[in-house]
Amino acid sequence: MSTEPEIPVNRAATLTDVAKLAGVSVATASKAINGRGDVRAATRQRVLEAAEMLSFAPNALARGLLGGRTGTVGLLTSDLEGRFSIPILMGAEDAFGAGQVSVFLCDARGDAIRERYHVRALLSRRVDGLIVVGSRTDPRPPLAGPIPVPVVYVYAPSANPDDISITVDNVGGGRLAIEHLLACGRRNIAHITGDAGYQAARDRADGAAAALADAGLAMLDGKPYYGSWDETWGRAAAHIVVERHPEVDAIFCGSDQIARGVLETLRDLGRDVPGSIAVAGFDNWEAVAAHSRPRLTSIDMNLEQLGAAAGRRLFAAIDGGDLPRSDQYPGRLVMRDSTAPAQ
Amino acid sequence: MSTEPEIPVNRAATLTDVAKLAGVSVATASKAINGRGDVRAATRQRVLEAAEMLSFAPNALARGLLGGRTGTVGLLTSDLEGRFSIPILMGAEDAFGAGQVSVFLCDARGDAIRERYHVRALLSRRVDGLIVVGSRTDPRPPLAGPIPVPVVYVYAPSANPDDISITVDNVGGGRLAIEHLLACGRRNIAHITGDAGYQAARDRADGAAAALADAGLAMLDGKPYYGSWDETWGRAAAHIVVERHPEVDAIFCGSDQIARGVLETLRDLGRDVPGSIAVAGFDNWEAVAAHSRPRLTSIDMNLEQLGAAAGRRLFAAIDGGDLPRSDQYPGRLVMRDSTAPAQ
């Protein structure tokens, strides 16, 4: 069976063109390009150079139909505008290896109907597997309908525990932040965070509370200050904390944006950071953390690693390996200037 | 010729499965799904419901090989981590129509070799066209080698004027900002911006200077304060401007991050914004502009529209229409609280 389908002449160089340019037979050109058969090194080199010059690429599409695999993967996100999908996507791309597997990207924009539509389109393209990236860490409903290829859920786990889900350990992240503040000698620690409707807010708070309990402590007020994920809330909440608890010597924030607002209020109030009050954020969003005053210590959830793990897991699932269903990945502390031992 | 290739049974529902579930013949199911022939409405409905239940999707891959088009497009970016590619990508996806065309996303990460590799892979997948998104507005070298499909360059134009390039009008954007500040009654206007090595910095400055010249004015110091695209530079430059020019009544900034730093310094110095000094940014980056104190007036370059325009242009090029090679898209002013008539 020929690997050359009928592609219009004005659309792409054919193997015949390559053979002609290299001055060899089509059979030899084919062998050289596919690495099969007995071709002299110099001839092979000449054929590959001709292929390069003509931007010739073996027809992966036709090969896919013949081989039963297309070498394509669908990446379905709900959060292209957010900051979480992009590093995950880059990590997945790294895992796939440039050119080895091609990635169809679809943005469902949080709309279930749009998602179904995209999934149908991807299945009609015979993708070998799907990666589904959520915009928050709350469990999401599994993809609707029978999906005939492996699916890996990232960041937002599937609500079905039988599905493969790769998530971040937000409880551990909250614990990391508090352990660092404790190591800096802080004891009167408040936690200002985002919307309590988010699993991420609750998990980070749980981790923080557990680390404090291990040290025989509790967060100021005995619970987090829940609000919204932005600077405006950070500014307002910092006022409340300082007024209610003049003894506060550290504030752990559920996001870098909240921390940014907290830093501004502390500056307005003339409180020294980190001398008087240490501040830690979450997300390690470079644009925010690296340019605040002082520069912000934060928890990085290693989202590129998460994406790479999802890519590898999907490969393994396509190959039919027996794997643990789900996995949680830890974060790491990135220390900057907003935390230090108490003076 | 059958539209049903030999797809392994465990991978996807076939037309036969759909026909069985709907209780019709395969021929009838085929007609119902393809919208051909004479099928009663109720029967068609039953078939479509069966197809939906089984996640059946006509084999686009096989159709593509037969029809000479694959309905796929490659989107090659160099800036997934940046903020500019994502809205462009979303706009392009909108133009393609969910499910009509599928988009292969590749991130070359600013590396020419990686880019070549991706292009080869995309061509081997027989994409119908390519969209190349740059990370800055400076002209970039065209894709290497003969590319047998239409290519549209977005944001960063191709250095070859014969290529199709869709760009933003940064000169016009600079002009918009200054005209707004002039309308607010400001006359002593400074321009603090990013790296002069960026075309975007020079274009915005040129537009600003032209608008000032039209009003018989010049920017303070007669030229922009070039630096870097971050808050740290914004803070430092604002100190310089206020010291050298106590009469300054407006500062136009080349990015929202720079403007954010400027706002902080003015706050530190006790200068009232916008009462004493109006401040305008550029990019309309919501996370920065909507939560600064005061909230920041900014220029929005309508990047989603740019992406949609690129998608439409690529379609037209695939269809062989005769089109203008290049196009520039204007921005718009988004007014918030940092600008107002002088008091």
Side-chain angles (χ1 to χ4, degrees):
Chain A
M1 199 176 292
S2 166
T3 56
E4 273 300 280
E6 293 173 22
I7 296 292
V9 176
N10 64 337
R11 297 195 66 231
T14 65
L15 190 59
T16 310
D17 300 329
V18 174
K20 211 167 181 177
L21 186 63
V24 301
S25 71
V26 173
T28 301
S30 172
K31 279 187 224 158
I33 283 172
N34 293 310
R36 286 183 285 101
D38 205 18
V39 183
R40 285 196 306 156
T43 307
R44 183 175 157 76
Q45 185 60 28
R46 210 159 68 239
V47 171
L48 293 180
E49 280 168 10
E52 175 76 23
M53 280 182 64
L54 295 172
S55 288
F56 173 80
N59 192 337
L61 204 63
R63 280 204 316 240
L65 274 180
L66 299 174
R69 272 198 202 156
T70 57
T72 59
V73 159
L75 205 151
L76 194 66
T77 169
S78 299
D79 174 46
L80 263 191
E81 278 195 295
R83 300 188 316 282
F84 305 118
S85 287
I86 302 306
I88 290 171
L89 198 151
M90 291 179 73
E93 199 189 44
D94 276 343
F96 293 142
Q100 300 301 308
V101 169
S102 296
V103 179
F104 283 119
L105 182 78
C106 306
D107 187 0
R109 299 174 203 196
D111 174 11
I113 291 174
R114 204 179 169 98
E115 178 171 287
R116 284 185 81 118
Y117 207 70
H118 276 309
V119 168
R120 293 287 295 277
L122 290 169
L123 292 177
S124 96
R125 303 237 174 246
R126 304 296 179 209
V127 291
D128 298 328
L130 293 170
I131 292 184
V132 180
V133 184
S135 62
R136 41 194 283 191
T137 64
D138 301 74
R140 52 151 290 154
L143 294 179
I147 307 290
V149 296
V151 182
V152 173
Y153 297 84
V154 200
Y155 201 68
S158 164
N160 181 349
D162 290 337
D163 289 334
I164 307 175
S165 297
I166 310 279
T167 53
V168 295
D169 179 8
N170 271 315
V171 176
R175 181 177 274 283
L176 265 183
I178 294 296
E179 284 169 354
H180 170 63
L181 294 172
L182 291 170
C184 292
R186 310 302 165 127
R187 289 295 174 271
N188 302 303
I189 303 176
H191 181 38
I192 300 175
T193 190
D195 186 336
Y198 282 67
Q199 181 88 44
R202 300 192 304 273
D203 284 348
R204 290 165 196 175
D206 286 351
L212 285 165
D214 287 352
L217 298 169
M219 54 182 74
L220 293 181
D221 260 12
K223 58 179 190 303
Y225 291 79
Y226 287 112
S228 61
W229 298 104
D230 54 47
E231 291 183 48
T232 305
W233 166 241
R235 286 199 291 258
H239 273 290
I240 300 169
V241 167
V242 169
E243 196 167 299
R244 282 197 202 158
H245 298 281
E247 76 278 20
V248 60
D249 60 13
I251 302 178
F252 165 43
C253 303
S255 80
D256 289 343
Q257 283 166 284
I258 292 172
R260 180 67 191 256
V262 167
L263 287 178
E264 286 204 0
T265 287
L266 294 179
R267 191 176 173 84
D268 287 351
L269 296 175
R271 298 295 294 261
D272 176 37
V273 176
S276 154
I277 303 182
V279 176
F282 208 102
D283 292 337
N284 194 32
W285 185 11
E286 186 77 11
V288 173
H291 292 280
S292 60
R293 285 188 297 180
R295 299 182 320 129
L296 186 66
T297 293
S298 189
I299 302 295
D300 189 312
M301 292 314 284
N302 298 319
L303 295 178
E304 283 207 31
Q305 282 182 32
L306 199 74
R312 290 193 302 269
R313 182 61 56 92
L314 186 65
F315 272 166
I318 291 170
D319 286 340
D322 197 17
L323 287 158
R325 298 276 84 185
S326 295
D327 246 335
Q328 265 204 334
Y329 282 74
R332 67 192 158 94
L333 180 85
V334 177
M335 193 172 164
R336 294 196 183 83
D337 307 328
S338 66
T339 57
Q343 287 168 345
Chain B
M1 201 177 289
S2 166
T3 57
E4 274 300 285
E6 291 174 22
I7 298 292
V9 176
N10 65 337
R11 297 195 66 230
T14 65
L15 190 59
T16 310
D17 301 328
V18 174
K20 211 168 181 179
L21 186 63
V24 300
S25 71
V26 173
T28 301
S30 173
K31 280 186 223 160
I33 282 172
N34 293 310
R36 287 182 285 102
D38 203 20
V39 183
R40 285 196 307 155
T43 307
R44 182 172 157 76
Q45 183 61 28
R46 211 160 68 240
V47 171
L48 293 180
E49 279 169 10
E52 175 76 23
M53 280 181 64
L54 295 172
S55 289
F56 173 79
N59 192 336
L61 204 62
R63 279 203 317 239
L65 273 180
L66 299 173
R69 276 202 198 149
T70 56
T72 59
V73 159
L75 205 151
L76 193 66
T77 170
S78 300
D79 174 46
L80 263 190
E81 277 195 296
R83 298 188 317 283
F84 304 119
S85 287
I86 302 306
I88 290 171
L89 199 151
M90 292 180 73
E93 199 189 44
D94 277 343
F96 294 142
Q100 300 300 308
V101 169
S102 296
V103 179
F104 283 117
L105 182 78
C106 306
D107 187 359
R109 300 174 202 193
D111 173 12
I113 290 173
R114 204 178 169 98
E115 178 171 286
R116 283 184 82 119
Y117 208 69
H118 276 309
V119 169
R120 293 287 296 274
L122 289 169
L123 292 177
S124 96
R125 303 232 176 249
R126 304 295 180 212
V127 292
D128 298 328
L130 293 169
I131 291 184
V132 180
V133 184
S135 61
R136 40 195 285 190
T137 64
D138 300 74
R140 52 152 288 153
L143 294 180
I147 308 290
V149 297
V151 182
V152 173
Y153 296 85
V154 200
Y155 201 68
S158 164
N160 180 350
D162 290 337
D163 289 335
I164 307 175
S165 297
I166 310 278
T167 53
V168 294
D169 179 9
N170 272 315
V171 176
R175 181 177 273 282
L176 265 181
I178 294 297
E179 284 170 353
H180 170 63
L181 293 172
L182 291 171
C184 291
R186 311 301 165 127
R187 290 294 175 269
N188 303 304
I189 304 176
H191 181 38
I192 300 175
T193 192
D195 186 337
Y198 282 68
Q199 181 87 44
R202 299 192 304 273
D203 284 348
R204 290 165 195 173
D206 286 350
L212 284 165
D214 287 352
L217 299 168
M219 53 182 75
L220 293 181
D221 260 12
K223 60 181 189 301
Y225 292 79
Y226 287 112
S228 62
W229 297 105
D230 56 46
E231 292 183 46
T232 305
W233 166 239
R235 285 197 293 258
H239 273 290
I240 301 170
V241 167
V242 168
E243 197 168 296
R244 282 199 203 155
H245 298 282
E247 77 278 19
V248 60
D249 60 13
I251 301 177
F252 165 43
C253 303
S255 80
D256 288 344
Q257 282 166 286
I258 292 172
R260 181 64 191 259
V262 167
L263 287 177
E264 286 204 0
T265 287
L266 294 178
R267 193 178 171 83
D268 286 352
L269 296 175
R271 298 295 295 260
D272 177 36
V273 176
S276 156
I277 303 182
V279 176
F282 208 104
D283 292 336
N284 193 33
W285 185 12
E286 187 77 11
V288 173
H291 291 280
S292 60
R293 284 188 297 178
R295 299 183 318 131
L296 185 66
T297 294
S298 189
I299 303 294
D300 188 312
M301 292 314 285
N302 297 319
L303 296 177
E304 283 210 30
Q305 282 182 33
L306 198 75
R312 290 193 303 270
R313 182 60 56 92
L314 186 65
F315 272 165
I318 291 170
D319 286 340
D322 196 19
L323 287 158
R325 297 276 85 184
S326 294
D327 245 337
Q328 265 206 335
Y329 282 73
R332 67 191 158 92
L333 180 85
V334 176
M335 194 175 163
R336 295 197 182 83
D337 307 328
S338 67
T339 56
Q343 286 168 348

